[in-house]
């Protein structure tokens, strides 16, 4: 059964469908979902700030519809598979494919990788339209379409929960694109964010990540090209220092944007939590989120078992730049209680 059309949700006003999807298996069903209206809930934070942990935890409660790895990898056929009752088979086939190529976790954070793993919608925007991983006027029709698709193949009574770190530095524009949306912001000590981002980028560039290649054909094409691969490895090398500089800049710009812009959202539109609190007091932190969303949590999940902090392993070159990072985003450090004295390694 398709989800009911015209639910009491709203996203955008543009029902135009991307023209480059007309030849895929889902194209014949797109007209059936054009009236589905969605007001998403966005989980936003800088990359490596805990968005995946929060997204997966909330998805595990069963109260939300989410974007999963299967939806990204098989995006062109998820409607067709659902309508023609091939969804379970498609997911099992994908599970077998994961086993065949040796995918067990995401490598960058050791999160178990399965077709059901909640993932960021930015991959779909990039795969379908190209260019950006964040919402723009150019890919807005694709974003609207992916929201309708996920809602159509899921429980129409549940809200759509999305996450995409790439949209954190432009959440006011996201608000304009998705009217009626709510936001869950997650924050983490910027020094540890920078360190984690560097380690993740080096992991996928110096080594091959088959899970990432499944999600991103561009990654597969780029890392399979010896010239492009060599160039990327030079750019992220420790000796050159370019990746450290750019990573610090992107994080500082993102959190300064947040501090400058957050007052333009109503307190009814967002909640902010810290990754550190999510790890140290998981049940209380999730309860705050659920209260904000006016959802009574009867999932029975033991959040102390679901959410566990990982070893920090701060990179020395980032530790050496801690004072600079703090000085460039002092308001954020002060507001969220982040210091650099006795910063754990």
């Amino acid at each position: 059964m398709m989800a009911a059309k015209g639910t009491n949700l709203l996203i955008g006003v543009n029902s135009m469908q991307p023209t480059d999807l007309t030849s895929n298996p889902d194209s014949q069903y797109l007209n059936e979902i054009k009236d589905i209206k969605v007001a998403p809930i966005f989980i936003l934070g800088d990359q490596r700030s805990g968005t995946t942990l929060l997204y997966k935890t909330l998805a595990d409660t069963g109260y939300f519809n989410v974007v999963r790895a299967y939806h990204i990898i098989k995006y062109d056929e998820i409607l067709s598979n659902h309508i023609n009752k091939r969804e379970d088979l498609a997911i099992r086939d994908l599970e077998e494919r994961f086993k065949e190529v040796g995918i067990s976790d995401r490598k960058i954070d050791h999160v178990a990788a399965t077709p059901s793993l909640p993932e960021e919608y930015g991959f779909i925007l990039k795969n379908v339209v190209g260019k950006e991983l964040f919402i723009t006027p150019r890919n807005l029709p694709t974003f609207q379409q992916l929201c309708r698709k996920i809602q159509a193949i899921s429980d129409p009574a549940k809200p759509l929960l999305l996450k995409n770190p790439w949209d954190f530095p432009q959440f006011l524009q996201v608000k304009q694109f998705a009217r009626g949306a709510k936001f869950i912001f997650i924050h983490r000590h910027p020094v540890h964010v920078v360190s984690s981002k560097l380690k993740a980028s080096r992991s996928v560039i110096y080594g091959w990540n088959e899970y990432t290649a499944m999600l991103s054909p561009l990654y597969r094409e780029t890392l399979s090209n010896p010239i492009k691969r060599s160039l990327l490895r030079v750019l992220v090398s420790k000796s050159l220092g370019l990746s450290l500089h750019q990573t610090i800049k992107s994080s500082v710009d993102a959190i300064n944007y947040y501090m400058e812009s957050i007052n333009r959202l109503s307190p009814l539109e967002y909640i902010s939590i810290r990754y550190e609190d999510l790890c140290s007091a998981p049940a209380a932190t999730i309860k705050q989120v659920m209260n904000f969303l006016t959802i009574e949590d009867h999932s029975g999940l033991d959040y102390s078992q679901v959410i566990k902090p990982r070893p920090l392993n701060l990179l020395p070159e980032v530790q050496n730049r801690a004072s600079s990072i703090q000085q460039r985003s002092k308001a954020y450090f002060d507001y969220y209680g982040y210091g650099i004295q006795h910063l754990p390694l």
Side-chain angles (χ1 to χ4, degrees):
M1 290 290 292
M2 294 288 290
K5 298 180 181 178
T7 59
N8 60 343
L9 303 171
L10 176 65
I11 177 167
V13 294
N14 187 346
S15 62
M16 179 180 68
Q17 303 299 335
T19 57
D20 57 354
L21 289 178
T22 54
S23 63
N24 67 59
D26 282 353
S27 60
Q28 60 186 310
Y29 302 109
L30 295 180
N31 194 55
E32 297 184 34
I33 67 170
K34 65 182 178 61
D35 294 326
I36 294 178
K37 303 180 188 301
V38 187
I41 302 164
F42 291 88
I43 293 175
L44 297 180
D46 199 0
Q47 296 174 63
R48 313 303 304 147
S49 63
T51 57
T52 295
L53 177 62
L54 180 59
Y55 195 28
K56 185 178 183 302
T57 301
L58 291 178
D60 286 346
T61 68
Y63 291 118
F64 306 94
N65 299 327
V66 300
V67 175
R68 302 185 184 274
Y70 159 72
H71 300 138
I72 296 169
I73 298 168
K74 298 293 185 179
Y75 181 71
D76 290 348
E77 61 185 65
I78 59 176
L79 270 178
S80 176
N81 289 342
H82 179 78
I83 293 171
N84 295 293
K85 303 187 185 306
R86 292 197 300 262
E87 187 173 79
D88 289 344
L89 177 61
I91 292 173
R92 287 198 299 270
D93 286 346
L94 195 54
E95 288 172 342
E96 287 301 316
R97 187 175 168 195
F98 274 37
K99 291 178 183 178
E100 289 174 3
V101 295
I103 296 176
S104 59
D105 61 57
R106 301 201 315 173
K107 288 189 176 182
I108 60 172
D109 50 18
H110 304 296
V111 171
T114 71
S116 297
L117 180 64
E119 275 289 357
E120 53 204 53
Y121 59 80
F123 285 111
I124 296 175
L125 301 180
K126 182 77 170 181
N127 294 345
V128 174
V129 182
K131 299 195 89 96
E132 298 87 5
L133 286 152
F134 48 88
I135 307 172
T136 69
R138 182 171 179 263
N139 62 33
L140 178 58
T142 297
F143 173 74
Q144 294 172 327
Q145 182 191 85
L146 76 86
C147 289
R148 295 183 184 117
K149 277 193 177 188
I150 301 303
Q151 201 68 2
I153 65 175
S154 306
D155 185 342
K158 296 177 182 179
L160 178 62
L161 183 66
L162 302 172
K163 84 111 170 172
N164 193 41
W166 302 97
D167 272 317
F168 175 58
Q170 61 148 22
F171 62 82
L172 290 180
Q173 189 167 0
V174 173
K175 178 187 174 183
Q176 298 302 313
F177 290 144
R179 293 179 298 167
K182 291 186 177 183
F183 299 89
I184 304 168
F185 294 104
I186 184 167
H187 307 275
R188 185 185 181 189
H189 197 302
V191 176
H192 285 295
V193 166
V194 170
S195 181
S196 186
K197 287 166 74 171
L198 275 174
K199 286 189 285 186
S201 64
R202 290 169 180 171
S203 171
V204 296
I205 292 173
Y206 280 108
W208 175 259
N209 190 312
E210 183 62 31
Y211 177 70
T212 301
M214 287 263 197
L215 298 176
S216 172
L218 179 61
Y219 171 84
R220 182 180 296 278
E221 186 274 329
T222 301
L223 267 291
S224 298
N225 184 306
I227 296 176
K228 293 180 180 179
R229 182 175 65 247
S230 297
L231 177 60
L232 275 176
R233 288 177 176 174
V234 169
L235 292 175
V236 302
S237 66
K238 297 179 184 180
S239 57
L240 199 59
L242 289 177
S243 59
L244 175 61
H245 173 78
Q246 183 55 41
T247 302
I248 292 174
K249 182 180 185 305
S250 68
S251 287
V252 167
D253 287 350
I255 58 182
N256 285 344
Y257 168 84
Y258 174 85
M259 294 301 295
E260 294 163 2
S261 306
I262 191 59
N263 287 336
R264 294 175 64 182
L265 291 183
S266 160
L268 298 177
E269 294 178 302
Y270 79 96
I271 184 174
S272 283
I273 65 171
R274 301 194 323 163
Y275 170 80
E276 293 81 1
D277 298 329
L278 181 64
C279 292
S280 63
T285 306
I286 293 297
K287 184 176 181 180
Q288 286 182 322
V289 173
M290 292 299 206
N291 287 344
F292 165 69
L293 299 174
T294 64
I295 294 175
E296 291 189 26
D297 186 2
H298 302 292
S299 65
L301 287 178
D302 183 350
Y303 295 110
S304 65
Q305 296 301 312
V306 175
I307 299 172
K308 294 182 180 295
R310 302 187 187 96
L312 296 173
N313 300 320
L314 189 62
L315 291 173
E317 63 262 42
V318 179
Q319 171 77 25
N320 293 337
R321 298 292 295 275
S323 294
S324 174
I325 296 170
Q326 182 186 43
Q327 291 168 7
R328 293 168 63 179
S329 49
K330 188 175 185 303
Y332 183 87
F333 271 74
D334 291 346
Y335 188 83
Y336 285 102
Y338 292 128
I340 59 170
Q341 297 297 322
H342 309 296
L343 195 63
L345 295 173

